[in-house]
Amino acid sequence: MATVRYFPSDGAQVLVALHKPVTTIGRALGNDIHLPDASVAAHHVQIVFNGRDFQLEEVDREAEILINGKKKRRARLCNGDRVTLGRALLGFSMFTEGETKEPSADNTAGTQTELAGLRRLQTFSERLMTKRSVDELLETLLDDVIELSGAARGLVLWVDPGEGGDNVPRVRASRNVQREAIQDTSFAMSDSIVRKVIETRRPVIVSDALSDTTFGKSESVIALKLSSVMCVPLLNQGEIVGALYVANDEVKHLFDRRQLDLLTVYASQASLILQNAMLLSALRADKEKLSAELSDKRFGEIIGACASMMEVFRKLQKVATTDISVLITGETGTGKELIARELHRRSNREHGPFVTVNCGAIPENLIESEMFGHVRGAFTGAIASRPGKFQQADTGTLFLDEVGELPHQLQVKLLRALQERVVFRVGDNRGEKCDIRIIAATNRNLDEMIKTGEFREDLYYRLNVVNLWLPPLRDRGDDVFIIAKTLLSKYAEELNSPVRGFSPLALTAIRKYAWPGNIRQLENRIKKALVLCDKTLLGPEDLDLGEDAQAPILPLEKAKEDFQRRYVLEVLERNNGNRTQTARDLGVDPRTIFRYLEKEQSLTPVAHAEPEV
């Protein structure tokens, strides 16, 4: 068994065996290894055993840790390592130190009890991996403890913060020697002994409670006529979370120090079970609360309740049952494919295929074959005939994502296919009829592309029978909170993360950030934070949303001037550059329009020609 030896500056050395999954070290009395040194933090470090290695981890970020003379925050311990905490020196050994002696009969019996206890503990630890309830696990733990110790009853108590900051323990599980739950737990334990353990965070063993100088006059001890009692604290990183209590009223001097040590090991398991139960309960409560919030803010798989999204849902519901073409526009990452899938799911083609084509991801020399298919021998490498996306989507929906990336020559063939619902495979002169519905999406400005000749106007009108514009995340108000909480709930479970929410500062930062990558960027930030964060709440720094990530605050006059300039230019564009009409629409003097145009020209950088050589 691994050990830690403490070398105090004055006094005898102290040797402690590491028999718990987590061993806390610090100046406070509640630590597993108490170091009475002023240079040591109250809760300095902890040693975590994962079944194979012993890992030293910091608890207090301000505390100094040296391992073999080098500053570390965490490290895997090796045999012979020297650990310095403040001025306190510790030695770590992978093996039990001391000379081997011939065991006495008492030692042999004690060793057998320890081995039986450790075997039961191993079996119990394996049960933690099953899907049994918390109550069943605690009852099994108590049954094992009662059988090993010879106690008549056992209880697991959990601490609830009461009024005035008092720690009020309540019974979480109870068992008697007949392996039954205790009906009336008010007469099953001594309040004074439990209170002592809760206050001191140290285990208590009482051989003859009625004669004990500390507890003999206690009302509960006298009333219950207690004899042998053991009670050990349940700790979580040095903080008291409950107690494990066993007793026998019939036998005096029943318990010894070896049994108290074994009970301490079981207490660490009980603490782990209850902590996980509390975390699971909190996660379920958060999930139920989130589900209730989403009940009136979800449209299929799409989440949103802002006015612009409600308009999208209204249009989607009306157009879904028809076969007319829909063009979905909006910035990248706004969820255009989700909208397309929802259109398909609500259409009469729901049971047909939904085929996606990413028009920007297919090489130009292959895109025609991908879209319409090819026959054997049509080009080098065409060793067999294969259908294209149009044929695959027959009786269903074809989703053309990033349609603005289509090369010009293919736009002509696509227009013909849409008009006639007939496609020709590459290398074939026979047409094939396709019964499909077309949904297209793009983040590009197709109107500008039409003006520059990059996109065919007739194809644009064929695709854009109904337009669904998705607003960017920064303009969706409180939708960002619901989306963020939904993504966290989804991926925390998938990634087995301890995170269960956002801190208030994180929610404020999420609301203020512009999210240029929209929902996709938010999703990626949350995934990364869940993998790297060890806390239960994500902060702004976990989402890379520090002060540098926020947009600078402009003076009110400057912000108002910028908005007016952008709005004037937008209206001017809608009026095809007609300044007089723009001034009339805005109710201002035409000279105001000229002033904004002059400012825009002064802000636009001028390209200087390179000097001739």
Side-chain angles (χ1 to χ4, degrees):
M1 181 178 291
T3 59
V4 169
R5 185 179 292 276
Y6 170 44
F7 304 91
S9 56
D10 53 351
Q13 299 178 10
V14 180
L15 183 66
V16 181
L18 302 180
H19 52 72
K20 296 173 61 177
V22 179
T23 302
T24 58
I25 305 175
R27 191 180 68 252
L29 292 175
N31 288 285
D32 300 316
I33 301 179
H34 172 230
L35 304 180
D37 190 312
S39 66
V40 177
H43 303 287
H44 206 111
V45 295
Q46 63 184 15
I47 297 176
V48 179
F49 180 61
N50 61 12
R52 185 183 65 180
D53 299 321
F54 289 86
Q55 187 87 8
L56 184 78
E57 299 178 350
E58 67 173 4
V59 174
D60 188 337
R61 290 188 177 183
E62 303 299 324
E64 184 181 36
I65 305 168
L66 297 177
I67 300 179
N68 300 324
K70 296 182 179 180
K71 286 187 176 182
K72 296 280 183 71
R73 306 316 302 169
R74 60 184 298 159
R76 184 175 67 86
L77 293 174
C78 300
N79 187 50
D81 280 349
R82 287 292 182 263
V83 180
T84 305
L85 307 179
R87 292 188 297 273
L89 178 62
L90 305 174
F92 174 78
S93 174
M94 290 294 293
F95 313 101
T96 303
E97 300 182 23
E99 297 180 357
T100 304
K101 299 180 180 179
E102 286 297 321
S104 64
D106 291 341
N107 285 338
T108 302
T111 302
Q112 290 175 350
T113 302
E114 282 187 355
L115 287 174
L118 292 174
R119 288 193 188 100
R120 284 184 178 273
L121 184 60
Q122 180 184 3
T123 304
F124 178 76
S125 298
E126 291 172 355
R127 292 194 189 105
L128 288 175
M129 305 303 293
T130 66
K131 296 183 179 180
R132 300 180 63 184
S133 70
V134 174
D135 289 334
E136 286 180 305
L137 287 169
L138 290 176
E139 288 170 358
T140 303
L141 180 141
L142 285 174
D143 288 340
D144 288 351
V145 169
I146 290 170
E147 184 174 342
L148 287 168
S149 64
R153 61 184 178 277
L155 301 96
V156 174
L157 300 110
W158 192 247
V159 170
D160 283 334
E163 294 182 3
D166 296 331
N167 290 330
V168 181
R170 64 179 179 85
V171 176
R172 185 67 174 80
S174 64
R175 300 288 278 180
N176 58 26
V177 73
Q178 288 81 28
R179 295 179 177 261
E180 298 171 340
I182 301 173
Q183 299 302 318
D184 188 357
T185 57
S186 59
F187 297 102
M189 65 179 183
S190 167
D191 294 334
S192 57
I193 293 176
V194 173
R195 193 180 309 114
K196 180 73 171 178
V197 171
I198 297 294
E199 290 174 356
T200 63
R201 304 180 185 181
R202 297 184 70 82
V204 168
I205 181 170
V206 182
S207 299
D208 185 358
L210 287 170
S211 303
D212 189 84
T213 55
T214 304
F215 303 105
K217 295 181 180 180
S218 168
E219 292 182 6
S220 58
V221 170
I222 296 170
L224 297 172
K225 298 180 181 180
L226 297 178
S227 292
S228 299
V229 176
M230 284 193 299
C231 187
V232 297
L234 303 180
L235 299 171
N236 177 23
Q237 295 186 351
E239 295 297 324
I240 190 76
V241 294
L244 180 56
Y245 179 102
V246 293
N248 191 313
D249 304 338
E250 306 297 330
V251 184
K252 297 179 182 179
H253 304 284
L254 175 63
F255 306 130
D256 58 22
R257 186 71 193 181
R258 188 180 285 109
Q259 288 174 312
L260 185 65
D261 291 341
L262 189 60
L263 188 67
T264 303
V265 177
Y266 271 89
S268 66
Q269 291 291 327
S271 176
L272 178 64
I273 296 168
L274 288 171
Q275 290 167 45
N276 288 341
M278 288 184 66
L279 179 60
L280 184 60
S281 176
L283 285 171
R284 284 173 177 167
D286 289 346
K287 191 172 183 179
E288 289 174 2
K289 182 181 177 183
L290 183 61
S291 298
E293 290 179 355
L294 286 175
S295 60
D296 59 343
K297 297 178 181 178
R298 184 186 286 277
F299 189 81
E301 294 299 317
I302 310 159
I303 300 167
C306 65
S308 53
M309 286 304 295
M310 296 304 289
E311 177 63 18
V312 171
F313 298 157
R314 187 188 67 81
K315 283 186 178 180
L316 191 153
Q317 205 159 12
K318 287 191 172 183
V319 78
T321 54
T322 69
D323 265 354
I324 61 177
S325 300
V326 177
L327 178 64
I328 307 169
T329 56
E331 295 180 8
T332 180
T334 50
K336 293 186 284 294
E337 185 169 349
L338 273 180
I339 294 290
R341 290 185 180 277
E342 192 63 25
L343 278 167
H344 174 71
R345 193 179 69 82
R346 292 172 179 264
S347 72
N348 300 326
R349 300 175 177 268
E350 177 185 4
H351 300 294
F354 179 85
V355 179
T356 300
V357 181
N358 189 335
C359 301
I362 305 173
E364 188 172 341
N365 60 333
L366 295 177
I367 194 166
E368 184 178 357
S369 171
E370 285 292 319
M371 293 280 275
F372 306 126
H374 63 259
V375 296
R376 180 181 177 183
F379 50 83
T380 303
I383 59 175
S385 299
R386 62 180 295 272
K389 299 296 184 181
F390 269 76
Q391 292 93 332
Q392 293 172 21
D394 191 34
T395 72
T397 302
L398 180 63
F399 176 48
L400 302 176
D401 197 11
E402 302 301 342
V403 71
E405 306 297 331
L406 278 175
H408 200 274
Q409 61 178 4
L410 192 66
Q411 293 178 26
V412 179
K413 296 181 179 180
L414 176 61
L415 176 63
R416 179 181 176 184
L418 295 180
Q419 288 174 337
E420 300 177 4
R421 300 297 186 192
V422 174
V423 296
F424 291 84
R425 299 192 191 201
V426 177
D428 195 0
N429 56 8
R430 292 175 302 171
E432 297 179 59
K433 289 188 176 181
C434 292
D435 176 21
I436 60 173
R437 181 191 190 174
I438 297 292
I439 299 175
T442 183
N443 62 351
R444 301 187 65 178
N445 188 333
L446 295 185
D447 288 320
E448 289 297 323
M449 293 180 68
I450 291 171
K451 291 178 183 178
T452 58
E454 297 175 79
F455 201 84
R456 291 182 62 92
E457 187 174 11
D458 47 4
L459 176 59
Y460 172 73
Y461 289 120
R462 175 66 66 175
L463 295 173
N464 190 28
V465 179
V466 172
N467 177 253
L468 292 179
W469 175 77
L470 301 186
L473 189 57
R474 61 183 172 273
D475 294 340
R476 291 180 57 179
D478 291 343
D479 278 4
V480 67
F481 295 142
I482 303 298
I483 294 171
K485 290 176 181 178
T486 303
L487 292 173
L488 184 140
S489 177
K490 173 185 176 182
Y491 292 116
E493 188 172 348
E494 287 184 13
L495 300 172
N496 196 25
S497 170
V499 176
R500 63 182 184 88
F502 299 96
S503 69
L505 288 176
L507 290 174
T508 302
I510 287 172
R511 185 69 175 84
K512 288 182 177 179
Y513 189 57
W515 297 110
N518 294 293
I519 300 172
R520 186 181 294 115
Q521 183 186 13
L522 175 62
E523 181 179 26
N524 291 338
R525 292 277 182 96
I526 289 174
K527 279 184 180 179
K528 187 192 82 168
L530 288 173
V531 171
L532 299 179
C533 184
D534 296 324
K535 300 175 293 185
T536 55
L537 295 178
L538 293 181
E541 65 281 356
D542 298 311
L543 298 165
D544 298 331
L545 295 180
E547 294 183 0
D548 296 340
Q550 299 181 18
I553 299 176
L554 299 175
L556 186 59
E557 285 299 322
K558 172 65 174 164
K560 185 169 67 173
E561 179 71 16
D562 287 349
F563 169 77
Q564 288 178 341
R565 179 174 57 83
R566 289 196 303 270
Y567 189 66
V568 166
L569 294 174
E570 181 183 333
V571 176
L572 185 65
E573 185 178 356
R574 288 170 61 179
N575 287 325
N576 296 318
N578 189 321
R579 302 170 187 177
T580 304
Q581 183 61 41
T582 301
R584 188 180 299 117
D585 290 342
L586 295 175
V588 296
D589 190 281
R591 286 174 294 182
T592 303
I593 308 300
F594 283 101
R595 180 169 63 85
Y596 279 110
L597 284 174
E598 289 174 358
K599 282 191 176 183
E600 180 66 16
Q601 290 172 358
S602 66
L603 291 173
T604 305
V606 178
H608 297 282
E610 292 291 332
E612 295 182 3
V613 179

